[in-house]
Structure formats: C-alpha cells, structure tokens
Amino acid sequence: MNSLTATDERTLVLIRTLHASRELVFNAWSDPKHLVRWWGPNDFTLPHCEQDFRVGGTYRFCMRAPDGSDHWVRGRYLEISEPDLLVFTWLREDVPGDIWCDTVVRITLRQQGSRTEMELEQTTFATKDHCDEHREGWSECFDRLAYFLNPKTTSN
C-alpha cells in the first residue's frame, strides 16, 4: 500500500506554451469534435466523449489504449471563464464504479503575443505515484494538443 506523501508531491503542475490564440486553445477544450482529435496519451483514442460544457455540467470520456483497454474519466465543470479558465473534477474509474483517482483540475490560459501559456494544476492525488502517472499522461496529451492546434510547430 502506498503511503501519503506531502501535498506538494501529490499536486501536479504543468505549463506549456502553445502556438495558438487563447480562444483557439479554449475551444479545443470545450468542443467534443476537437477533443476527440487530441485527448489522451500517445496512441490512445477517445471512442466515447460526452460533454455538457457549462458550470455544473458533466463530462464522461473513454480513453482507449493501444492494447484495447478502456480508461474512463468523468467529472463536473466547477468554473468556466471563457477564454482563460476552466476548473473541473476528475474521477478515474477503470472498472465501472471503482474510483481510483478523485482530484480537481484547473486550466489557466494566458495570452502571450500570438501564443498561449497553458497551466494545468491537478490536486490532490492520493499518492505520489498517481501524480507521476498523470504527469506522463498529461504531457503526452499536451503534445497532441500542440500538434492539433498547429501541426507545423511544437510547444515549448
């Protein structure tokens, strides 16, 4: 069994600079037709994408791994301030009803000239291992987002 570590070791913060406007980045998060093109780690697909994009609305996604295994995530939108802020709960359940990750994600978008700085903060993971696993997954997901937004460039 994993023991609890300090809160700062169980909080994930990632910052990316994307070659796109803040509005375009926000739209990539808020529209299912965009989400299915970039969401998930490398080589994952998003065969199920339900989204009620409003404060109090819910979402439910199925990320399918290359080996065919399904990884479900769902949650509720807590705060939406277009085009600079998105806050939502994050519940991971690989077996229906078996929640193994219960956190809150905060996406902040800051315009920097023609680029956007995107900051993700996700807290608080039950273990440092869960935090590290999500760091890898989100990093790959953000690589895919950067390519989706501007296939001719990459993010910093």
Side-chain angles (χ1 to χ4, degrees), residues 86-130:
L86 177 58
V87 181
F88 52 93
T89 60
W90 177 269
L91 304 170
R92 283 282 308 271
E93 58 176 346
D94 289 337
V95 176
D98 183 17
I99 304 295
W100 67 269
C101 181
D102 182 353
T103 59
V104 174
V105 176
R106 178 183 192 87
I107 303 293
T108 305
L109 304 174
R110 297 176 192 92
Q111 193 70 49
Q112 296 185 335
S114 63
R115 298 177 182 185
T116 299
E117 180 184 84
M118 178 177 66
E119 179 178 343
L120 173 140
E121 180 180 354
Q122 187 171 5
T123 193
T124 299
F125 289 95
T127 69
K128 183 180 181 309
D129 289 344
H130 286 172

Side-chain angles (χ1 to χ4, degrees), residues 68-100:
S69 61
D70 289 339
H71 305 270
W72 289 88
V73 61
R74 63 183 166 93
R76 180 171 308 282
Y77 293 103
L78 303 176
E79 191 174 345
I80 298 172
S81 178
E82 188 174 351
D84 53 20
L85 181 67
L86 177 58
V87 181
F88 52 93
T89 60
W90 177 269
L91 304 170
R92 283 282 308 271
E93 58 176 346
D94 289 337
V95 176
D98 183 17
I99 304 295
W100 67 269

Side-chain angles (χ1 to χ4, degrees), residues 13-31:
V13 176
L14 294 174
I15 298 174
R16 280 289 179 93
T17 300
L18 300 165
H19 295 269
S21 70
R22 189 172 52 167
E23 291 77 12
L24 191 59
V25 176
F26 189 88
N27 287 338
W29 282 91
S30 64
D31 189 330

